[in-house]
Amino acid sequence: LSDSIKNTDMSGYLRLRLNTTHGQLGAASVQANEIKAVLNFKSKVNDQVTANMKFVAVNDDDIGAANSGKTADLQLNQANFTIATSAATIIAGRQTSPTPFTANNGDTVSTGLTALIPAGPATIAAAHYNDVTSNGSIDANSVSGLGVLFSVANVNLEAWYVEQDSSNNERTAFLASTKVAGVSISAHHAELDAGTTAEVENTQLVVSGKAGAVSLTAGVVTTGKNGGDTTLDGDTDSKLLLALEGAATSQAADADAVLLVASAPVGPVKATIAYLDGDTAGTDFDETKLSVSYKMSKNFALSAWFSDQTFGTVDAEESRIEAKYSF
């Protein structure tokens, strides 16, 4: 027992949010109180095997005539064994999906096997999952995927193929990123083939860098005539989606958009302004988002943002106040 305790690492966070929505673009509720607690356990079983567990507890309290009520959920978000050898690293069990077609924030999980195989300068990722689950609901069943990741002359390249067996949907993605003279450049192209003539595509280019104390980002995205959401879970945290809060750019059909972001420290506070402008099938949309964050200590941060959105003739406003303690 003493050895087990010494070989176990614990981490996680507690996050409190107050979300507010006005207008017709966002959710119907006027306010939503959200509490989320995450607890991770990583324990070394032996020299090759590590056991991983992650618990996620969420409590939402929606306040408003159109959508009132409470939801509470406790999930065993991850439960897996990682087996590391010189030939491959294998993750077996419930785990975070490593593909770009799922959320990067860990909320999307899958049950199955992932194998990471080194092959010279490349890494081959192969996976088969019995399900893909996002926020407690199963979004896709029986998913198989293959990815190749490698670097050539300071350029990181990825090629991915994922097949959703239950619907015969096929997804492909090609990603590239590099850093030149302090400027980061990333690009991707992704497609969804649903066995029809529908064109669901997503092409994106993002450039970011610093000018003194100011961090700058510029991005452009274009989507297919039938949409641009190529993800398995429809989650805007995926690297294949470029969107702010209200204008889900990459989910729109026949869309073209530009994103501009600037952030800088203002005393102890980091201030950010982001502007998204585009059109989808002839309808103009734009969004302006103002954010501030304050890191009170190494593991405690306060933040807030306000978003003003327009989609055609419809307007909406969203805001959030958040406190997060990490350990």
Side-chain angles (χ1 to χ4, degrees), residues 24-325:
Q24 302 179 45
L25 285 182
S29 61
V30 176
Q31 287 186 334
N33 302 311
E34 178 189 319
I35 302 173
K36 184 174 183 178
V38 174
L39 189 59
N40 299 282
F41 293 95
K42 181 177 290 187
S43 182
K44 186 176 180 181
V45 179
N46 55 43
D47 289 340
Q48 293 184 323
V49 179
T50 302
N52 306 285
M53 289 187 295
K54 180 179 178 180
F55 296 91
V56 178
V58 178
N59 187 291
D60 293 336
D61 184 5
D62 294 337
I63 306 168
N67 184 25
S68 60
K70 289 187 176 183
T71 60
D73 190 19
L74 175 61
Q75 301 174 25
L76 179 56
N77 182 275
Q78 295 195 33
N80 62 71
F81 292 102
T82 299
I83 306 168
T85 69
S86 58
T89 297
I90 298 173
I91 306 171
R94 191 170 180 83
Q95 59 192 276
T96 299
S97 307
T99 79
F101 300 100
T102 51
N104 301 317
N105 60 8
D107 284 341
T108 300
V109 295
S110 305
T111 304
L113 290 171
T114 299
L116 304 174
I117 306 167
T123 298
I124 299 173
H128 179 77
Y129 306 124
N130 294 326
D131 65 76
V132 176
T133 304
S134 177
N135 295 321
S137 62
I138 295 177
D139 298 290
N141 289 307
S142 191
V143 172
S144 301
L146 181 66
V148 180
L149 300 80
F150 57 99
S151 298
V152 178
N154 198 38
V155 178
N156 300 314
L157 300 171
E158 300 180 32
W160 291 89
Y161 172 82
V162 169
E163 181 177 276
Q164 187 177 331
D165 300 338
S166 59
S167 58
N168 294 321
N169 287 349
E170 297 179 347
R171 292 167 168 83
T172 53
F174 302 93
L175 301 91
S177 63
T178 188
K179 193 168 186 177
V180 180
V183 176
S184 299
I185 306 170
S186 64
H188 80 239
H189 177 76
E191 297 184 6
L192 166 61
D193 182 358
T196 65
T197 58
E199 294 182 12
V200 181
E201 300 176 346
N202 181 316
T203 303
Q204 180 175 303
L205 175 66
V206 178
V207 179
S208 61
K210 295 195 72 171
V214 180
S215 298
L216 301 170
T217 298
V220 294
V221 63
T222 181
T223 69
K225 67 178 183 180
N226 299 110
D229 185 1
T230 60
T231 66
L232 283 164
D233 53 10
D235 197 315
T236 54
D237 288 307
S238 168
K239 65 177 70 175
L240 298 183
L241 291 177
L242 175 62
L244 293 181
E245 300 304 322
T249 315
S250 300
Q251 299 188 30
D254 195 19
D256 295 284
V258 175
L259 173 68
L260 302 173
V261 184
S263 63
V266 182
V269 175
K270 180 182 178 182
T272 302
I273 180 170
Y275 178 69
L276 179 69
D277 181 76
D279 69 87
T280 170
T283 300
D284 294 331
F285 60 84
D286 65 78
E287 180 174 0
T288 302
K289 181 179 179 181
L290 304 174
S291 309
V292 291
S293 61
Y294 171 51
K295 200 165 186 178
M296 184 176 291
S297 61
K298 182 179 179 181
N299 56 356
F300 185 68
L302 301 173
S303 62
W305 56 255
F306 172 81
S307 170
D308 182 75
Q309 310 153 17
T310 302
F311 194 93
T313 59
V314 181
D315 297 321
E317 297 175 350
E318 292 187 62
S319 63
R320 171 178 294 165
I321 300 173
E322 177 180 302
K324 185 176 181 181
Y325 165 65

